[in-house]
Amino acid sequence: MAERFRNYIAGEWTDSASGRTFENRNPADHDDLIGEFPRSDEQDLSRAVESAKRGFEQWRRTPAPLRGDVLRRVGDLLTERKEEISRAMTREMGKVLNETRGDVQEGIDTAYYAAVEGRRLFGHTVPSELRDKWAMSYRRPIGVAGLITPFNFPLAIPTWKMFPALVCGNSVILKPAEDVPHTSTILVEVLIEAGLPPDVVQLVHGFGEEIGAAMVEHPEIPVISFTGSTAVGSQIGSVCGRMHKRLSLEMGGKNAQIVMPDAAMDLAIEGVLWGAFGTTGQRCTATSRLLLHDDIHDEFLDQLVDRASRLTLGSGLVDGNDVGPLINQASLDKVESYVEVAISEGDEIVTGGKRATGGALDRGYFFQPTILRGVKPGSRLACEEVFGPVLSVIRFSDLEHAFRINNEVKYGLSSSLYTTDVRASFRAMQDLDNGITYINAPTIGAEAHMPFGGVKQTGNGHREGGWEVYEFYSETKVCYVDYSGKLQRAQIDTYDI
Ligand code: UN1
């Protein structure tokens, strides 16, 4: 019998109202059934919203430093359970244990950062134009926040959204990706154990087209935060625009690592291996383009191919494996179809290019780390997000040329420049059209206390992480206090100095 997991609604672990479920299996081994999870719909959502509204009334009145204290305990509990959560995460998501430990650590860092923000949440007090009058602003919570999260960071991304939302005084409804429902189940257990009032958090499992869409369309969820594809983000954006909802979108990337001839070559090779094939390329920050200067192109590529072809594929739970599986069959099919596109566009496969098979690999969604050379700027492989272990190599002649190639895609999440030239580094920070630029580090690896997000089609102007996300989850309230005892008319009454 498969283990049966539940939603968390109105302070109880509960089945879906319809009784329907879906299966969660290990992407490295189809035979490994993790459990059955509720397939939720509008009925479950209605109950979750009613509870979250009660939770909001209670929580918005709880002093923010106390809200922060709950998050500090969450950080402590995640630290205690780090190894167990990492293993559960690798089992359902696939990436290797070292990476799932990093994912949990990102959640822990986000919790401790949030705990401290509970003692800040700064407003401003500024001079009034008038005498005996104060002018000030402070941050108020908004209401019920609907959080829709992807499969690739099963703990970190829910925490990026949830913890700031909670510290600001909102209640939250989390809809995790259907591929990774177990990790968020543990996260909600931890929140409750840490002392979060039960109505303040709701967990609804299920599919994007069903429960996810219902959340976006629900009139009593005024805030939506979504991480996922640009196509789905656009649909969500049109609904939220029509309903005047506050919306944060984190979407696709086509991130480039640029290598100049003066770079430390070994460092640049380590960087691209990690950026392109870590998390099996399933990060929105993944390095999916490698821009090599003409002078080093061939030599760099030879060494890189040698290293990439030696990466070991297999279950992320087994020590020594470097690269885990893709998340599911659809993802495997998509990656495979991009290799066909590459061939039709005349790109040359220099390593990989196929499903990885044989022995235990046959039971999972494994794809060989793949490098394509001769990819032409403007071609599909150079422009579209693959979300898998496929790296497109593009040549360039000088820095300006590399910047142009970097900037000509519709996405703008992260970029990276390897060089020892300080002028080139600062030019890159200024001219690369991305939300994040790394110098001498790969395109992945953002830190929890810094704003995270991208420009152009990657986002809609908001940032997760860092101090900025606290503005997203709160409204500015402005207050004036006039203690002059008389009517003072702004912009009309003037005083002699
Ligand atoms: C994502 O891929 O959606 O910077 C997030 C990084 C990680 C987060 C990635 N800290 O790669």
Side-chain angles (χ1 to χ4, degrees):
M1 266 294 275
E3 192 174 346
R4 184 81 174 248
F5 291 87
R6 297 193 158 75
N7 286 331
Y8 188 78
I9 298 178
E12 277 173 13
W13 294 97
T14 167
D15 290 327
S16 62
S18 67
R20 292 192 302 168
T21 59
F22 63 93
E23 285 186 345
N24 179 22
R25 287 179 182 270
N26 180 343
D29 179 359
H30 318 141
D31 297 340
D32 178 19
L33 176 63
I34 294 159
E36 287 184 350
F37 289 77
R39 184 167 164 179
S40 317
D41 60 23
E42 288 92 348
Q43 298 175 71
D44 306 291
L45 184 62
S46 304
R47 292 190 52 233
V49 170
E50 283 317 308
S51 168
K53 280 164 56 187
R54 287 194 298 276
F56 176 59
E57 283 310 312
Q58 175 183 1
W59 191 238
R60 74 188 178 92
R61 294 189 163 81
T62 305
L66 295 193
R67 300 196 294 245
D69 283 348
V70 173
L71 270 299
R72 185 173 39 71
R73 286 196 292 280
V74 168
D76 294 344
L77 290 168
L78 290 174
T79 306
E80 273 170 33
R81 294 179 70 177
K82 181 171 173 180
E83 194 57 24
E84 171 211 338
I85 301 171
S86 306
R87 285 182 178 276
M89 192 192 301
T90 293
R91 189 174 165 211
E92 69 174 354
M93 188 275 166
K95 60 187 174 184
V96 297
L97 261 180
N98 237 351
E99 292 192 34
T100 50
R101 289 184 187 119
D103 193 318
V104 180
Q105 189 58 47
E106 203 161 336
I108 294 168
D109 297 341
T110 302
Y112 290 137
Y113 182 76
V116 177
E117 281 298 323
R119 292 186 179 270
R120 292 157 37 101
L121 291 184
F122 291 132
H124 296 276
T125 304
V126 300
S128 164
E129 293 172 359
L130 296 163
R131 288 198 183 131
D132 295 332
K133 186 180 175 193
W134 278 37
M136 53 203 167
S137 70
Y138 80 103
R139 317 278 331 166
R140 295 172 84 213
I142 306 171
V144 180
L147 314 176
I148 303 173
T149 56
F151 74 84
N152 61 341
F153 278 80
L155 191 85
I157 293 181
T159 69
W160 290 359
K161 298 182 191 301
M162 207 184 236
F163 295 173
L166 291 173
V167 166
C168 287
N170 305 286
S171 58
V172 297
I173 301 179
L174 172 64
K175 201 301 269 180
E178 59 272 20
D179 293 298
V180 293
H182 189 199
T183 305
S184 38
T185 303
I186 301 174
L187 174 61
V188 172
E189 277 170 22
V190 163
L191 285 164
I192 299 303
E193 191 184 337
L196 189 73
D199 284 315
V200 178
V201 60
Q202 318 284 327
L203 174 66
V204 286
H205 292 292
F207 296 99
E209 315 83 73
E210 296 172 4
I211 184 72
M215 285 166 67
V216 171
E217 281 156 21
H218 199 291
E220 291 181 288
I221 303 181
V223 184
I224 297 284
S225 179
F226 168 78
T227 299
S229 72
T230 296
V232 173
S234 310
Q235 291 171 21
I236 294 178
S238 56
V239 177
C240 290
R242 180 162 45 76
M243 298 182 77
H244 309 298
K245 292 192 181 199
R246 184 174 286 220
L247 170 67
S248 173
L249 296 171
E250 276 310 327
M251 303 175 288
K254 190 71 196 176
N255 316 295
Q257 173 174 320
I258 303 168
V259 185
M260 291 296 282
D262 61 14
M265 291 301 150
D266 290 346
L267 190 68
I269 288 173
E270 292 287 339
V272 66
L273 280 168
W274 177 228
F277 304 123
T279 326
T280 321
Q282 301 170 108
R283 295 196 191 209
C284 52
T285 50
T287 308
S288 55
R289 295 183 294 162
L290 174 64
L291 276 47
L292 294 178
H293 190 281
D294 285 330
D295 292 354
I296 47 134
H297 179 277
D298 292 355
E299 192 195 334
F300 190 97
L301 195 51
D302 282 350
Q303 289 186 40
L304 175 64
V305 166
D306 175 55
R307 293 285 299 277
S309 58
R310 285 191 274 129
L311 294 170
T312 353
L313 270 76
S315 162
L317 291 167
V318 174
D319 262 359
N321 285 337
D322 301 307
V323 182
L326 288 161
I327 190 66
N328 55 31
Q329 184 66 44
S331 172
L332 188 62
D333 293 344
K334 181 180 169 198
V335 170
E336 201 169 46
S337 76
Y338 266 109
V339 171
E340 280 160 27
V341 171
I343 293 167
S344 74
E345 288 184 326
D347 308 333
E348 185 191 338
I349 300 169
V350 283
T351 185
K354 293 194 183 64
R355 294 177 187 220
T357 52
L361 295 179
D362 291 338
R363 295 205 303 277
Y365 308 111
F366 291 95
F367 201 88
Q368 297 170 341
T370 299
I371 300 178
L372 308 167
R373 80 179 269 176
V375 176
K376 291 161 278 305
S379 67
R380 284 187 63 193
L381 259 291
C383 297
E384 295 177 20
E385 185 175 46
V386 178
F387 226 66
V390 178
L391 178 69
S392 297
V393 182
I394 301 173
R395 352 174 35 120
F396 67 89
S397 50
D398 59 32
L399 200 60
E400 288 306 323
H401 185 201
F403 287 1
R404 270 202 312 281
I405 298 172
N406 177 78
N407 291 351
E408 73 184 7
V409 295
K410 68 178 182 177
Y411 299 114
L413 184 50
S414 64
S415 53
S416 146
L417 174 67
Y418 279 77
T419 182
T420 46
D421 178 347
V422 74
R423 285 177 302 174
S425 306
F426 276 83
R427 296 253 320 278
M429 290 189 263
Q430 177 182 287
D431 290 336
L432 292 174
D433 202 8
N434 303 93
I436 308 170
T437 291
Y438 292 91
I439 305 296
N440 294 325
T443 60
I444 68 176
E447 300 180 20
H449 61 298
M450 292 289 280
F452 177 89
V455 301
K456 301 194 278 186
Q457 297 290 301
T458 292
N460 66 338
H462 293 292
R463 291 291 180 272
E464 304 214 85
W467 49 94
E468 285 195 18
V469 68
Y470 291 84
E471 300 196 353
F472 175 74
Y473 286 110
S474 58
E475 289 279 9
T476 299
K477 173 78 172 272
V478 167
C479 303
Y480 298 101
V481 179
D482 189 324
Y483 53 98
S484 67
K486 57 183 188 228
L487 173 67
Q488 300 195 90
R489 296 170 301 176
Q491 293 91 39
I492 293 172
D493 293 327
T494 52
Y495 296 98
D496 295 335
I497 297 167

